Every structure is written in structure tokens, then in C-alpha cells.
Amino acid sequence: MRDVTPRGSHYIAGAYAEDAGGAPIDVIYPATGETVAQVHAATPEIVDKALAAADAARRDWAAMPGVERGRILRRAADLLRERNRDLSEIETIDTGKPLQETLVADAASAADALEWFGGLAATIRGEHVQLGGDWAYTIREPLGVCVGIGAWNYPTQIAAWKAAPALACGNTMVFKPSEETPLCALKLAEILTEAGAPPGVFNVVQGRGEVGASLVTDPRVAKVSLTGSVPTGQKVYAAAAEGIRHVTMELGGKSPMLVFADADIEAAVGGAILGNFYSSGQICSNGTRVFVQKGIKDRFLARLTERLQGIVMGDPLNEATNFGPLVSAAQLDKVMGYIAQGKAEGARLVAGGARVNRPGWFVEPTVFADVTDDMTIARDEIFGPVAAVLDFETEDEALARANATPYGLSAGVFTRDIDRAHRVAGGFEAGTCWINTYNLTPVEVGFGGSKLSGVGRENGLAAIEHFSQLKTVYVGTGPVDAPY
Ligand code: NDP
């Protein structure tokens, strides 16, 4: 295996930084369980240096014309694309996701974000409002130092989805990756520097939750953008509230996918595969409650299990592999626990259900049928390759049951009836919905959740609003009419 040891654990003020006094964090290749590198968690001194660098850089970065900031981001996008293979291999080693996936979904998606927000940077502006003889104008200003905290499933994409709009708006950032996947954000930082980002504009510090927590409450921080679980989101949101900081929370889900009897079954099965087994099911927006209308259930299950035969499990660095391991032993234990619970609560196992007998943290793609709404596997986010197939009869019933969850990240509907498609999409209590497809998240449109799944939006024009604030300037042109 290639050497992926970074030149330092952290990236601060345009250069790698190290403090071996921080607790060691092993980087483990999930396909074998072997340790491939080690980094150190940030000490309080490192956290302070990173925040100081971001704070020192923010005024000049904000003062730079948007067109120039954008040019730097677009150059970074080009570099990501040029080095896609190298970066994809690092992403695969960090996460265990197959190279077949990472070559198209990670650095490529990060490049899209940097390119798109880089293009927008020059267009960020306020408005002029005529008020008789007086007038007012608005200025869309950056917030200042932003903190990004990431989950482990898409480490490059998560870092870029936060950095690209933040930097386009003129903010600076300190990003903390998940301790499970510390490598990828460092590469993004390196590339941003190479593309011309001044020192301190994008910094990376490693560490576990406590490092994240120390960032969130620092008085220099104006905004926190977290991608993680609901329990972490609740803690981070509460901590940020103390300083009235802006937040974006991209949290977990238990999203529904409704397959009506008139649907194109092949498309729906394809959607269920993408929404349950891509990245071994470790995707927040997955449609893990697959509601299938009475009448097509047997056909749907037969095709789904048949198509799962196409899975090629193996070394994720082999491009023929299309199904990899889970990220960690802890995640494997969690997923196996849910599978055991599914069986114990009476769901019918129709595919998979076992740990794979090979090194690493592989779990078979698993399908349960005859799942009912009260079962644990229909209520909890599993974050692994486990699909729960539920039966339904009518549209009203399906929609009500789809919405009967505290989460609201995503939802999908498969039907050939155009009226129903839009009616159901309109009725979903979810931030991101799909009709006759699933899990597509282009940078051009907002992505995020409602209810417990989050606040704020990433991507699309919405992200600009979440990384900037409006200043209003009233211009008086006549005498000041005071009462006394
Ligand atoms: P966690 O919530 O465990 O962790 C998310 C990040 O927050 C990690 O970097 C973690 O550090 C950090 N963290 C933990 N505690 C604190 C704290 N008190 N203060 C500040 N930071 C803290 O999520 P996972 O990494 O396990 O990721 C899986 C979860 O992420 C799933 O629920 C999934 O749905 C969600 N997710 C949501 C997405 C979305 O866009 N909506 C996309 C991808 C995932 P560390 O882990 O290093 O200790």
C-alpha cells in the first residue's frame, strides 16, 4: 500500500503543523484493519494557532474582490480534477469506499463545489432601495471565522461543501474532520494554498469531539457548520447558541422511498440500490425505509435480490470492486446489532444479514421485508447496508407513514403518474426530495434537512445566505427632522 502519512497532523496558516503532544489517532484501512498512518489530536495550543490564523486572515480575504477569490477557488477545482486519481486513492484508504466510487463522487464533487461557488463569488452583492429622496443599500458581508466539523463518510466532499461557499463569501475557516478520516481535508487545504489562497484562509485541525467542542465556543468564531449525527448536532447547536453564532446543521435521517405499483420497477430497484448500498449504506440521505405498494412487492424483492448478485466485494483499491467495508469496527458492531434486532423483532431476512468472512469491516448487503413501522430497523438510522422494505396500500397511508418520523432529511417517490409524483413530493416533510431517482445532490441546488435532520442548507444559492449576513445602510439626504 502507498504511504499516506501526511506531512503534519494539522494545516495552519498555509503550512503543515505538528504537536506530538496531542493524543495519537490511528488511520486504519477499513478493508484490512491495518494502521496505515497516525496523526495527533490538536492540543489547545494548536486549536488556538488555527483560530488565530483564520482570524488574522479574515479581513484581507474579505476585502479581496470576489472575482479574485473566485479565481482561486476555481484554480483549486482544476487542481482537484487533475489529481483526482491520487485524491481518490487517499479517500478510499481513509474511508474504505471503493475506488470505483471515489473516482467519481468525492474529489470530483469537491471540484464542482469550488468551481460553482468560485463562479458565484463575483456576483455576491446587495441591493439599492430608493426611499423617496433618501435611499438605502444593502451589503452582503462575510460572517468572519467559520468552523466546519465533518463526519467520516465523505471527508473530501464535506470539507469542500463547507469551504467553497464560506470562502466565496469572504469568510475564513477552521475545519475539523472526523477522527476516523483525518487525511482528505489536509489535501484540500494543501491544494487551496497552491491555488493561491492566502495563509489562514482554510485551516485543518485533527481531534475527537472535544476538539470540535473547543472550536465551537471560541469567541473568535462566528459560525459553525456541522455534518454529523443528531445527538452531536443537538450538543453543537446548544453550544453555538451561547454566543448567538450562526449554524448549519446537516444531520442524520431515516428517509422514506415510496414505490407505487405503476412505477418503472427497474428504476425503483436502481433507486433502492443507490439509496441503501452505495458507500455500503453510509450516506445520511439514504432511503432506508422502502415502502412498496401492494401488488408489486414480490416482483420488487425478486429484482432487488437478483441485482444484488452484481455486487463485487473485495479490496476497495481494486477498481472492479463496487462494494466496500464499513468505516470502522465500531460501525460494524453497530450495524450487526441492528441486523440482530431486525431478526429478533420478526422482520423477514431476504438477503444478506451476516458479517463477511474476510479481514476488515465488511457486512453483506442486507434486505429485510415485512418490516413494520414500530420495528427498530424502521425507526433508527443504521448507517450501514441495511434496507427495510415495508408494505403499503394507499397514497395517503404511505405519505402519512413516510412522514411519521422525527427526521426530515430526504424522501423519494417512484411513480409514472405525474400528478401523484408532485403531490407526494409536496407532501413529504423533508428538505431534499427526489422523483423517479434517488440520492443525486448536484451543487447547483440546496441540500439539507427539516425536523431533527437539520437547519440551514448546503449548496445552491441558499448556501450563500448561510455564510453571509446582510448589512443595511440608510442614506439621509435632507434635513434631520427631530421632534425637539
Ligand atoms: P458524529 O455526530 O459522531 O460526529 C460528527 C463530527 O462531530 C465528528 O467530527 C465528531 O468528532 C464531531 N463531534 C462529536 N462530538 C462533538 C461535540 N460535542 N462538539 C463538536 N464536535 C463534535 O457523526 P459521525 O462522524 O458518526 O457521522 C455519521 C452521522 O453523520 C450520521 O448520523 C449521518 O447521518 C450524519 N451525516 C449527515 C450528513 C448530512 O449532510 N445531513 C452527511 C453525512 C453524515 P469525532 O467523530 O472525531 O469524535
Side-chain angles (χ1 to χ4, degrees), residues 149-153 176 179 209 212-213 227-229 232 250-252 284 381:
I149 301 176
W152 39 256
N153 57 344
K176 189 201 85 67
E179 66 175 271
T227 297
S229 62
T232 302
E250 294 292 353
L251 308 177
C284 51
E381 180 182 50

Side-chain angles (χ1 to χ4, degrees), residues 25 149-154 158 161-162 176-180 207-214 216 226-233 235-236 239 249-253 282-285 331 334 381 383 409 447-449 453 458:
I25 297 173
I149 301 176
W152 39 256
N153 57 344
Y154 278 76
I158 290 171
W161 280 16
K162 298 187 189 308
K176 189 201 85 67
S178 164
E179 66 175 271
E180 303 284 359
R208 300 184 164 81
E210 67 272 9
V211 171
S214 72
V216 169
L226 169 81
T227 297
S229 62
V230 171
T232 302
K235 277 188 241 164
V236 171
M249 296 281 143
E250 294 292 353
L251 308 177
Q282 302 166 112
I283 299 183
C284 51
S285 50
Q331 193 62 17
K334 186 180 153 197
E381 180 182 50
F383 227 57
L409 186 56
F447 174 78
S453 294
E458 299 203 292

Side-chain angles (χ1 to χ4, degrees), residues 69 73 113-114 116-126 139-143 146 161-171 223 246 248 443-447 456-470:
R69 285 199 304 268
L73 300 188
L114 287 158
W116 199 72
F117 285 107
L120 273 184
T123 72
I124 297 169
R125 63 186 66 183
I139 306 170
R140 194 153 275 285
E141 293 186 327
L143 301 170
C146 299
W161 280 16
K162 298 187 189 308
L167 270 47
C169 290
N171 304 284
K223 151 125 199 171
H246 295 248
T248 298
V443 65
E444 293 92 332
V445 288
F447 174 78
R457 291 292 177 266
E458 299 203 292
N459 290 343
L461 289 174
I464 297 291
E465 299 198 1
H466 292 295
F467 276 107
S468 62
Q469 61 193 340
L470 210 61

